[in-house]
mmCIF file of all heavy atoms in Angstrom:
data_model
loop_
_atom_site.group_PDB
_atom_site.id
_atom_site.type_symbol
_atom_site.label_atom_id
_atom_site.label_comp_id
_atom_site.label_asym_id
_atom_site.label_seq_id
_atom_site.Cartn_x
_atom_site.Cartn_y
_atom_site.Cartn_z
ATOM 1 N N TYR A 1 -14.031 8.526 1.071
ATOM 2 C CA TYR A 1 -14.480 8.111 2.400
ATOM 3 C C TYR A 1 -15.354 9.206 2.991
ATOM 4 O O TYR A 1 -14.926 10.348 3.117
ATOM 5 C CB TYR A 1 -13.269 7.861 3.292
ATOM 6 C CG TYR A 1 -13.582 7.282 4.654
ATOM 7 C CD1 TYR A 1 -13.961 5.961 4.791
ATOM 8 C CD2 TYR A 1 -13.475 8.078 5.789
ATOM 9 C CE1 TYR A 1 -14.227 5.426 6.052
ATOM 10 C CE2 TYR A 1 -13.742 7.552 7.046
ATOM 11 C CZ TYR A 1 -14.115 6.228 7.171
ATOM 12 O OH TYR A 1 -14.387 5.701 8.403
ATOM 13 N N CYS A 2 -16.591 8.860 3.310
ATOM 14 C CA CYS A 2 -17.526 9.837 3.868
ATOM 15 C C CYS A 2 -17.782 9.524 5.336
ATOM 16 O O CYS A 2 -17.884 8.353 5.725
ATOM 17 C CB CYS A 2 -18.853 9.807 3.116
ATOM 18 S SG CYS A 2 -18.702 10.220 1.368
ATOM 19 N N THR A 3 -17.847 10.538 6.137
ATOM 20 C CA THR A 3 -18.132 10.356 7.552
ATOM 21 C C THR A 3 -19.330 11.201 7.938
ATOM 22 O O THR A 3 -19.556 12.278 7.395
ATOM 23 C CB THR A 3 -16.935 10.782 8.426
ATOM 24 O OG1 THR A 3 -16.639 12.158 8.167
ATOM 25 C CG2 THR A 3 -15.704 9.944 8.116
ATOM 26 N N LEU A 4 -20.081 10.691 8.886
ATOM 27 C CA LEU A 4 -21.176 11.464 9.446
ATOM 28 C C LEU A 4 -20.605 12.426 10.474
ATOM 29 O O LEU A 4 -19.498 12.219 10.974
ATOM 30 C CB LEU A 4 -22.190 10.524 10.101
ATOM 31 C CG LEU A 4 -22.881 9.526 9.155
ATOM 32 C CD1 LEU A 4 -23.742 8.558 9.970
ATOM 33 C CD2 LEU A 4 -23.704 10.254 8.114
ATOM 34 N N PRO A 5 -21.322 13.492 10.793
ATOM 35 C CA PRO A 5 -20.818 14.430 11.803
ATOM 36 C C PRO A 5 -20.481 13.717 13.104
ATOM 37 O O PRO A 5 -21.273 12.921 13.622
ATOM 38 C CB PRO A 5 -21.988 15.407 11.975
ATOM 39 C CG PRO A 5 -22.713 15.349 10.677
ATOM 40 C CD PRO A 5 -22.604 13.922 10.208
ATOM 41 N N HIS A 6 -19.281 13.956 13.605
ATOM 42 C CA HIS A 6 -18.798 13.420 14.881
ATOM 43 C C HIS A 6 -18.569 11.908 14.856
ATOM 44 O O HIS A 6 -18.380 11.290 15.908
ATOM 45 C CB HIS A 6 -19.751 13.764 16.030
ATOM 46 C CG HIS A 6 -20.181 15.196 16.061
ATOM 47 N ND1 HIS A 6 -19.285 16.230 15.908
ATOM 48 C CD2 HIS A 6 -21.403 15.767 16.190
ATOM 49 C CE1 HIS A 6 -19.930 17.387 15.967
ATOM 50 N NE2 HIS A 6 -21.219 17.141 16.125
ATOM 51 N N SER A 7 -18.581 11.294 13.656
ATOM 52 C CA SER A 7 -18.292 9.862 13.587
ATOM 53 C C SER A 7 -16.775 9.652 13.575
ATOM 54 O O SER A 7 -16.020 10.542 13.159
ATOM 55 C CB SER A 7 -18.915 9.250 12.336
ATOM 56 O OG SER A 7 -18.367 9.828 11.167
ATOM 57 N N PRO A 8 -16.303 8.486 14.035
ATOM 58 C CA PRO A 8 -14.856 8.241 14.073
ATOM 59 C C PRO A 8 -14.225 8.260 12.685
ATOM 60 O O PRO A 8 -14.864 7.901 11.691
ATOM 61 C CB PRO A 8 -14.758 6.843 14.701
ATOM 62 C CG PRO A 8 -16.039 6.659 15.434
ATOM 63 C CD PRO A 8 -17.074 7.388 14.628
ATOM 64 N N ILE A 9 -12.971 8.663 12.616
ATOM 65 C CA ILE A 9 -12.198 8.633 11.373
ATOM 66 C C ILE A 9 -11.344 7.380 11.380
ATOM 67 O O ILE A 9 -10.611 7.118 12.335
ATOM 68 C CB ILE A 9 -11.307 9.884 11.257
ATOM 69 C CG1 ILE A 9 -12.170 11.115 10.953
ATOM 70 C CG2 ILE A 9 -10.254 9.700 10.172
ATOM 71 C CD1 ILE A 9 -11.380 12.395 10.860
ATOM 72 N N ASN A 10 -11.481 6.594 10.317
ATOM 73 C CA ASN A 10 -10.690 5.369 10.220
ATOM 74 C C ASN A 10 -9.241 5.721 9.931
ATOM 75 O O ASN A 10 -8.931 6.380 8.931
ATOM 76 C CB ASN A 10 -11.239 4.471 9.117
ATOM 77 C CG ASN A 10 -10.531 3.127 9.072
ATOM 78 O OD1 ASN A 10 -9.459 3.025 8.499
ATOM 79 N ND2 ASN A 10 -11.132 2.128 9.679
ATOM 80 N N VAL A 11 -8.340 5.293 10.810
ATOM 81 C CA VAL A 11 -6.939 5.681 10.678
ATOM 82 C C VAL A 11 -6.308 5.068 9.428
ATOM 83 O O VAL A 11 -5.386 5.632 8.847
ATOM 84 C CB VAL A 11 -6.149 5.293 11.948
ATOM 85 C CG1 VAL A 11 -5.930 3.788 12.022
ATOM 86 C CG2 VAL A 11 -4.826 6.020 12.006
ATOM 87 N N GLY A 12 -6.828 3.909 8.984
ATOM 88 C CA GLY A 12 -6.304 3.300 7.770
ATOM 89 C C GLY A 12 -6.567 4.156 6.551
ATOM 90 O O GLY A 12 -5.710 4.298 5.668
ATOM 91 N N VAL A 13 -7.759 4.738 6.490
ATOM 92 C CA VAL A 13 -8.096 5.630 5.376
ATOM 93 C C VAL A 13 -7.270 6.908 5.462
ATOM 94 O O VAL A 13 -6.794 7.427 4.445
ATOM 95 C CB VAL A 13 -9.603 5.954 5.375
ATOM 96 C CG1 VAL A 13 -9.942 6.912 4.243
ATOM 97 C CG2 VAL A 13 -10.429 4.685 5.250
ATOM 98 N N LEU A 14 -7.069 7.420 6.663
ATOM 99 C CA LEU A 14 -6.253 8.624 6.844
ATOM 100 C C LEU A 14 -4.824 8.386 6.379
ATOM 101 O O LEU A 14 -4.239 9.214 5.657
ATOM 102 C CB LEU A 14 -6.264 9.048 8.313
ATOM 103 C CG LEU A 14 -5.384 10.252 8.669
ATOM 104 C CD1 LEU A 14 -5.833 11.494 7.908
ATOM 105 C CD2 LEU A 14 -5.414 10.509 10.180
ATOM 106 N N ILE A 15 -4.258 7.255 6.764
ATOM 107 C CA ILE A 15 -2.897 6.918 6.324
ATOM 108 C C ILE A 15 -2.848 6.811 4.808
ATOM 109 O O ILE A 15 -1.921 7.324 4.157
ATOM 110 C CB ILE A 15 -2.427 5.600 6.974
ATOM 111 C CG1 ILE A 15 -2.261 5.782 8.482
ATOM 112 C CG2 ILE A 15 -1.120 5.114 6.347
ATOM 113 C CD1 ILE A 15 -2.053 4.480 9.235
ATOM 114 N N THR A 16 -3.860 6.153 4.225
ATOM 115 C CA THR A 16 -3.912 5.984 2.771
ATOM 116 C C THR A 16 -3.977 7.338 2.076
ATOM 117 O O THR A 16 -3.327 7.549 1.038
ATOM 118 C CB THR A 16 -5.124 5.122 2.380
ATOM 119 O OG1 THR A 16 -5.024 3.845 3.018
ATOM 120 C CG2 THR A 16 -5.193 4.927 0.872
ATOM 121 N N GLU A 17 -4.750 8.264 2.630
ATOM 122 C CA GLU A 17 -4.807 9.610 2.063
ATOM 123 C C GLU A 17 -3.428 10.261 2.049
ATOM 124 O O GLU A 17 -3.000 10.809 1.029
ATOM 125 C CB GLU A 17 -5.760 10.481 2.882
ATOM 126 C CG GLU A 17 -7.212 10.320 2.556
ATOM 127 C CD GLU A 17 -8.064 11.407 3.184
ATOM 128 O OE1 GLU A 17 -7.535 12.234 3.962
ATOM 129 O OE2 GLU A 17 -9.267 11.441 2.886
ATOM 130 N N ILE A 18 -2.750 10.200 3.171
ATOM 131 C CA ILE A 18 -1.434 10.844 3.269
ATOM 132 C C ILE A 18 -0.455 10.216 2.277
ATOM 133 O O ILE A 18 0.288 10.918 1.582
ATOM 134 C CB ILE A 18 -0.885 10.736 4.702
ATOM 135 C CG1 ILE A 18 -1.812 11.456 5.680
ATOM 136 C CG2 ILE A 18 0.526 11.326 4.785
ATOM 137 C CD1 ILE A 18 -1.460 11.236 7.142
ATOM 138 N N LEU A 19 -0.471 8.889 2.186
ATOM 139 C CA LEU A 19 0.440 8.199 1.273
ATOM 140 C C LEU A 19 0.122 8.539 -0.175
ATOM 141 O O LEU A 19 1.039 8.747 -0.988
ATOM 142 C CB LEU A 19 0.348 6.684 1.482
ATOM 143 C CG LEU A 19 0.708 6.137 2.870
ATOM 144 C CD1 LEU A 19 0.722 4.615 2.849
ATOM 145 C CD2 LEU A 19 2.052 6.680 3.350
ATOM 146 N N ASN A 20 -1.152 8.610 -0.515
ATOM 147 C CA ASN A 20 -1.535 8.935 -1.892
ATOM 148 C C ASN A 20 -1.092 10.336 -2.284
ATOM 149 O O ASN A 20 -0.611 10.570 -3.401
ATOM 150 C CB ASN A 20 -3.047 8.801 -2.064
ATOM 151 C CG ASN A 20 -3.511 7.355 -2.085
ATOM 152 O OD1 ASN A 20 -2.707 6.440 -2.261
ATOM 153 N ND2 ASN A 20 -4.802 7.144 -1.898
ATOM 154 N N VAL A 21 -1.258 11.282 -1.362
ATOM 155 C CA VAL A 21 -0.851 12.665 -1.650
ATOM 156 C C VAL A 21 0.665 12.746 -1.794
ATOM 157 O O VAL A 21 1.182 13.399 -2.707
ATOM 158 C CB VAL A 21 -1.350 13.612 -0.542
ATOM 159 C CG1 VAL A 21 -0.774 15.013 -0.736
ATOM 160 C CG2 VAL A 21 -2.871 13.672 -0.535
ATOM 161 N N ALA A 22 1.400 12.077 -0.905
ATOM 162 C CA ALA A 22 2.866 12.091 -0.980
ATOM 163 C C ALA A 22 3.349 11.419 -2.261
ATOM 164 O O ALA A 22 4.292 11.892 -2.913
ATOM 165 C CB ALA A 22 3.460 11.391 0.238
ATOM 166 N N ARG A 23 2.713 10.336 -2.640
ATOM 167 C CA ARG A 23 3.083 9.611 -3.864
ATOM 168 C C ARG A 23 2.852 10.485 -5.096
ATOM 169 O O ARG A 23 3.697 10.557 -5.991
ATOM 170 C CB ARG A 23 2.269 8.317 -3.949
ATOM 171 C CG ARG A 23 2.728 7.365 -5.048
ATOM 172 C CD ARG A 23 1.844 6.129 -5.102
ATOM 173 N NE ARG A 23 2.022 5.270 -3.953
ATOM 174 C CZ ARG A 23 1.100 5.070 -3.001
ATOM 175 N NH1 ARG A 23 -0.073 5.703 -3.052
ATOM 176 N NH2 ARG A 23 1.331 4.243 -1.996
ATOM 177 N N GLN A 24 1.724 11.163 -5.133
ATOM 178 C CA GLN A 24 1.409 12.030 -6.273
ATOM 179 C C GLN A 24 2.347 13.235 -6.315
ATOM 180 O O GLN A 24 2.773 13.674 -7.391
ATOM 181 C CB GLN A 24 -0.047 12.492 -6.188
ATOM 182 C CG GLN A 24 -0.540 13.245 -7.400
ATOM 183 C CD GLN A 24 -0.614 12.367 -8.645
ATOM 184 O OE1 GLN A 24 -0.750 11.149 -8.538
ATOM 185 N NE2 GLN A 24 -0.503 12.973 -9.813
ATOM 186 N N PHE A 25 2.681 13.752 -5.142
ATOM 187 C CA PHE A 25 3.618 14.872 -5.076
ATOM 188 C C PHE A 25 4.960 14.470 -5.675
ATOM 189 O O PHE A 25 5.570 15.227 -6.444
ATOM 190 C CB PHE A 25 3.797 15.324 -3.629
ATOM 191 C CG PHE A 25 4.888 16.336 -3.429
ATOM 192 C CD1 PHE A 25 4.737 17.641 -3.875
ATOM 193 C CD2 PHE A 25 6.077 15.977 -2.805
ATOM 194 C CE1 PHE A 25 5.751 18.572 -3.701
ATOM 195 C CE2 PHE A 25 7.086 16.902 -2.626
ATOM 196 C CZ PHE A 25 6.929 18.208 -3.070
ATOM 197 N N TYR A 26 5.424 13.282 -5.346
ATOM 198 C CA TYR A 26 6.700 12.806 -5.876
ATOM 199 C C TYR A 26 6.641 12.688 -7.397
ATOM 200 O O TYR A 26 7.576 13.119 -8.096
ATOM 201 C CB TYR A 26 7.065 11.458 -5.261
ATOM 202 C CG TYR A 26 8.387 10.908 -5.744
ATOM 203 C CD1 TYR A 26 9.572 11.217 -5.085
ATOM 204 C CD2 TYR A 26 8.452 10.085 -6.873
ATOM 205 C CE1 TYR A 26 10.784 10.729 -5.534
ATOM 206 C CE2 TYR A 26 9.659 9.600 -7.331
ATOM 207 C CZ TYR A 26 10.822 9.917 -6.660
ATOM 208 O OH TYR A 26 12.031 9.429 -7.128
ATOM 209 N N SER A 27 5.550 12.125 -7.904
ATOM 210 C CA SER A 27 5.448 11.890 -9.351
ATOM 211 C C SER A 27 5.445 13.191 -10.136
ATOM 212 O O SER A 27 5.880 13.223 -11.294
ATOM 213 C CB SER A 27 4.189 11.081 -9.666
ATOM 214 O OG SER A 27 3.019 11.854 -9.453
ATOM 215 N N GLU A 28 4.978 14.283 -9.532
ATOM 216 C CA GLU A 28 4.910 15.560 -10.231
ATOM 217 C C GLU A 28 6.111 16.463 -9.949
ATOM 218 O O GLU A 28 6.188 17.568 -10.485
ATOM 219 C CB GLU A 28 3.621 16.301 -9.851
ATOM 220 C CG GLU A 28 2.350 15.632 -10.344
ATOM 221 C CD GLU A 28 1.131 16.517 -10.196
ATOM 222 O OE1 GLU A 28 1.270 17.669 -9.711
ATOM 223 O OE2 GLU A 28 0.031 16.067 -10.563
ATOM 224 N N SER A 29 7.013 16.011 -9.122
ATOM 225 C CA SER A 29 8.160 16.843 -8.737
ATOM 226 C C SER A 29 9.261 16.792 -9.793
ATOM 227 O O SER A 29 9.360 15.836 -10.572
ATOM 228 C CB SER A 29 8.723 16.380 -7.391
ATOM 229 O OG SER A 29 7.797 16.617 -6.353
ATOM 230 N N GLY A 30 10.094 17.824 -9.784
ATOM 231 C CA GLY A 30 11.232 17.873 -10.681
ATOM 232 C C GLY A 30 12.384 17.030 -10.175
ATOM 233 O O GLY A 30 12.332 16.455 -9.077
ATOM 234 N N ALA A 31 13.439 16.978 -10.951
ATOM 235 C CA ALA A 31 14.579 16.109 -10.634
ATOM 236 C C ALA A 31 15.237 16.471 -9.309
ATOM 237 O O ALA A 31 15.599 15.587 -8.528
ATOM 238 C CB ALA A 31 15.600 16.173 -11.767
ATOM 239 N N SER A 32 15.408 17.757 -9.019
ATOM 240 C CA SER A 32 16.093 18.156 -7.790
ATOM 241 C C SER A 32 15.263 17.810 -6.553
ATOM 242 O O SER A 32 15.805 17.378 -5.533
ATOM 243 C CB SER A 32 16.398 19.652 -7.818
ATOM 244 O OG SER A 32 15.201 20.409 -7.915
ATOM 245 N N THR A 33 13.941 17.983 -6.647
ATOM 246 C CA THR A 33 13.074 17.637 -5.514
ATOM 247 C C THR A 33 13.056 16.136 -5.298
ATOM 248 O O THR A 33 13.102 15.657 -4.162
ATOM 249 C CB THR A 33 11.646 18.155 -5.754
ATOM 250 O OG1 THR A 33 11.688 19.576 -5.902
ATOM 251 C CG2 THR A 33 10.734 17.803 -4.586
ATOM 252 N N LYS A 34 13.005 15.377 -6.380
ATOM 253 C CA LYS A 34 13.043 13.917 -6.255
ATOM 254 C C LYS A 34 14.362 13.457 -5.642
ATOM 255 O O LYS A 34 14.384 12.521 -4.835
ATOM 256 C CB LYS A 34 12.836 13.266 -7.622
ATOM 257 C CG LYS A 34 11.404 13.324 -8.119
ATOM 258 C CD LYS A 34 11.259 12.632 -9.468
ATOM 259 C CE LYS A 34 9.800 12.639 -9.921
ATOM 260 N NZ LYS A 34 9.626 12.011 -11.253
ATOM 261 N N ALA A 35 15.451 14.124 -6.024
ATOM 262 C CA ALA A 35 16.758 13.772 -5.454
ATOM 263 C C ALA A 35 16.770 14.010 -3.950
ATOM 264 O O ALA A 35 17.340 13.224 -3.189
ATOM 265 C CB ALA A 35 17.854 14.581 -6.138
ATOM 266 N N PHE A 36 16.144 15.100 -3.523
ATOM 267 C CA PHE A 36 16.054 15.381 -2.088
ATOM 268 C C PHE A 36 15.232 14.303 -1.394
ATOM 269 O O PHE A 36 15.629 13.762 -0.358
ATOM 270 C CB PHE A 36 15.414 16.746 -1.859
ATOM 271 C CG PHE A 36 15.226 17.087 -0.404
ATOM 272 C CD1 PHE A 36 16.197 17.790 0.297
ATOM 273 C CD2 PHE A 36 14.082 16.689 0.279
ATOM 274 C CE1 PHE A 36 16.032 18.087 1.640
ATOM 275 C CE2 PHE A 36 13.901 16.987 1.619
ATOM 276 C CZ PHE A 36 14.881 17.688 2.302
ATOM 277 N N LEU A 37 14.066 13.964 -1.958
ATOM 278 C CA LEU A 37 13.181 12.981 -1.341
ATOM 279 C C LEU A 37 13.824 11.598 -1.296
ATOM 280 O O LEU A 37 13.609 10.843 -0.339
ATOM 281 C CB LEU A 37 11.859 12.912 -2.104
ATOM 282 C CG LEU A 37 10.992 14.171 -2.032
ATOM 283 C CD1 LEU A 37 9.823 14.071 -3.011
ATOM 284 C CD2 LEU A 37 10.477 14.398 -0.613
#
């Protein structure tokens, strides 16, 4: 997602970014971290 300077940030894309990072973090985590999550 590319934005021009001072253009609005689409909250749907922002949410998707956060979810993708959290999902990838979980997939790469060890057993104890996954148990915590």
Side-chain angles (χ1 to χ4, degrees):
Y1 186 73
C2 299
T3 59
L4 297 174
H6 313 314
S7 62
I9 288 178
N10 186 278
V11 73
V13 178
L14 177 61
I15 293 169
T16 301
E17 278 192 355
I18 298 172
L19 299 187
N20 287 344
V21 172
R23 190 182 290 111
Q24 187 67 25
F25 172 71
Y26 181 89
S27 70
E28 293 191 0
S29 293
S32 61
T33 300
K34 286 181 177 178
F36 177 92
L37 294 171

